[in-house]
Amino acid sequence: MQKPVEIEVFGVESEGSTNFVQRMFIDSFASLTVVRNYYLHDTFSMKVTITDESVRYLVDDAVLMINGEFFYIDQVVADKVSDGTMIVSGESLIGKAGFRIVNKTYSTASQAPEAIVYNHLMQQVVNPSTVRRKIGYLTTSAPGSLTGETINYQASYANVLAEIEDLTETYDFGFKEVASSYSPLTQTIQIYKGNDVSNYVEFNTDFENLLDEGYESSNYDEMNYAYIFGEGEGSARKNTTVDQGNKSDLYLKELYVDARDLQQTSEEVTYTDMQYIKALKDRGTSKLNEQEAVLTISGDVNLDNPLFEYGVDYDVGDRVRITSKRFGVTKTVVLTSMTEMWDDSHHTLTPTWGKESPTMLDIIKRGAK
């Protein structure tokens, strides 16, 4: 079933301004792909016809309204102008937090991960002490208790968006963005925890709500035991370990974590010895969670099947059940991402349940942290 999409385009009122005004509507395109994520920010890519209007208004940093969410353009590519089309792509507005750093040492003992995410947004993006660092079209609201745990955490001069996405993925909560105002153009970041609907929402080719199926089982990137080393030198260097699963022999997979950036004494907090070791353990847990075994089923959702409706019965961030008789797998998993695509004749939904194997780019980014 084809779902209609109308896209509204906004541009700045004048050069150097941050006041956005409506410029054009797009109700015809060759293709559109929107990826909604739970732990990460959202993205889009659209192929459109080259016209005087599209060339004028579909430019870097222009804002698009797509299905209740604002996105900004960060790339426009026309490989062959003679083809008459160009690819416009970009990110949801929180992507701009990737251009901010934690501009001092943020250090805390026994704070909920969701509260740390909120504080990063408020202090570095929404209401920073230096006014020029404020990203005017973003706002957020304080979350309730989501994870039920507290951590000892420290970050110095790290990328704000990377820190937020590390915390959400490690502690299993997410964020979504909702367009909350046209004038001034504003998007609200909501920090939330998905619902567990696995008791009644199941995807299974036997139910005909999953078109075909794919399967991936991989442990090539898995680690389950971390040695974490913090401040100090040589034998005096403070260290601890994290053991996930009590594995041994060929099943024991060890990881070294260099956490010398974690300092026991900072401007904000002085950790006791016990608190500092916990901070090291929390860092080790985060790194191990980046390198887990993968076991997942994939496949497009059958939009003509009335059993469950996306956005009504289940949504990104919810826990659902997936079953494959072929591979003997039944799992309760988080819907971590939904790729929604439209073209001239089709509207498709492609879910991602749980974690997928890391790409080469993921591994490179991991090494850069």
Side-chain angles (χ1 to χ4, degrees):
M1 186 191 311
Q2 180 78 338
K3 180 180 177 183
V5 181
E6 186 179 75
I7 301 168
E8 194 169 357
V9 181
F10 298 82
V12 292
E13 197 167 35
S14 58
E15 187 175 353
S17 171
T18 56
N19 183 39
F20 285 80
V21 294
Q22 192 274 328
R23 294 299 191 191
M24 65 180 289
F25 287 93
I26 300 173
D27 54 14
S28 177
F29 44 78
S31 65
L32 169 66
T33 301
V34 176
V35 182
R36 287 188 58 213
N37 294 304
Y38 184 44
Y39 306 125
L40 311 175
H41 61 291
D42 300 340
T43 61
F44 84 95
S45 180
M46 178 175 58
K47 179 183 279 191
V48 295
T49 301
I50 296 175
T51 65
D52 290 345
E53 190 178 37
S54 64
V55 168
R56 182 178 180 184
Y57 295 126
L58 295 177
V59 296
D60 291 347
D61 286 327
V63 171
L64 276 58
M65 159 67 87
I66 307 173
N67 288 347
E69 182 176 5
F70 289 126
F71 295 80
Y72 70 91
I73 296 172
D74 63 9
Q75 187 175 57
V76 180
V77 176
D79 287 329
K80 292 183 179 180
V81 174
S82 59
D83 289 345
T85 61
M86 62 185 185
I87 304 292
V88 179
S89 57
E91 307 180 356
S92 56
L93 300 193
I94 197 177
K96 288 292 183 181
F99 297 99
R100 295 291 182 270
I101 65 167
V102 181
N103 69 340
K104 61 178 181 178
T105 299
Y106 182 107
S107 187
T108 182
S110 299
Q111 190 170 40
E114 58 269 29
I116 297 171
V117 168
Y118 173 73
N119 288 341
H120 279 325
L121 287 170
M122 289 300 296
Q123 295 171 13
Q124 309 298 337
V125 175
V126 175
N127 191 29
S129 57
T130 304
V131 175
R132 65 184 293 216
R133 301 183 69 236
K134 176 183 175 70
I135 299 176
Y137 53 33
L138 286 172
T139 186
T140 189
S141 53
S145 178
L146 302 179
T147 61
E149 60 182 306
T150 58
I151 60 174
N152 293 349
Y153 169 88
Q154 190 176 108
S156 301
Y157 306 101
N159 182 281
V160 172
L161 186 60
E163 288 299 301
I164 289 171
E165 294 180 342
D166 279 350
L167 286 162
T168 55
E169 190 162 14
T170 298
Y171 298 100
D172 191 26
F173 64 102
F175 58 88
K176 58 186 172 184
E177 299 169 73
V178 179
S180 49
S181 172
Y182 281 89
S183 183
L185 190 147
T186 308
Q187 184 134 286
T188 300
I189 304 163
Q190 299 176 352
I191 305 165
Y192 77 109
K193 180 87 171 179
N195 299 311
D196 188 343
V197 296
S198 60
N199 285 337
Y200 63 90
V201 176
E202 179 176 343
F203 291 89
N204 187 330
T205 53
D206 286 353
F207 294 167
E208 298 183 348
N209 61 354
L210 191 63
L211 299 173
D212 203 351
E213 64 182 11
Y215 171 81
E216 181 184 7
S217 175
S218 170
N219 67 358
Y220 81 87
D221 193 51
E222 179 188 27
M223 298 291 176
N224 51 41
Y225 193 99
Y227 297 88
I228 310 100
F229 285 79
E231 67 180 12
E233 299 294 334
S235 61
R237 192 172 178 191
K238 296 177 181 179
N239 64 89
T240 188
T241 61
V242 173
D243 186 355
Q244 291 186 340
N246 195 30
K247 304 293 185 181
S248 60
D249 206 315
L250 72 157
Y251 303 106
L252 177 63
K253 300 179 178 181
E254 298 177 337
L255 176 69
Y256 166 73
V257 179
D258 185 348
R260 66 175 68 248
D261 62 298
L262 289 178
Q263 298 297 304
Q264 188 160 358
T265 298
S266 67
E267 295 178 2
E268 296 181 344
V269 167
T270 295
Y271 291 132
T272 65
D273 288 343
M274 185 177 298
Q275 288 173 330
Y276 185 69
I277 291 300
K278 185 177 186 303
L280 292 177
K281 284 183 177 292
D282 289 336
R283 175 69 65 84
T285 297
S286 175
K287 294 301 181 183
L288 287 175
N289 287 345
E290 291 180 359
Q291 296 186 237
E292 295 180 326
V294 171
L295 177 61
T296 189
I297 303 297
S298 60
D300 290 346
V301 172
N302 183 358
L303 290 171
D304 294 323
N305 185 296
L307 198 57
F308 308 115
E309 184 179 350
Y310 172 59
V312 177
D313 300 301
Y314 69 99
D315 211 334
V316 172
D318 290 345
R319 290 186 177 274
V320 301
R321 182 169 290 277
I322 58 171
T323 298
S324 169
K325 287 187 177 179
R326 167 62 65 185
F327 293 100
V329 173
T330 296
K331 289 186 67 179
T332 297
V333 292
V334 176
L335 177 59
T336 56
S337 178
M338 182 67 85
T339 299
E340 197 162 5
M341 187 172 69
W342 297 261
D343 59 24
D344 291 338
S345 58
H346 295 93
H347 173 211
T348 61
L349 293 175
T350 304
T352 299
W353 290 301
K355 296 182 180 179
E356 296 183 315
S357 292
T359 65
M360 184 58 68
L361 182 59
D362 293 331
I363 293 171
I364 291 171
K365 287 181 177 178
R366 182 192 300 158
K369 292 177 185 177

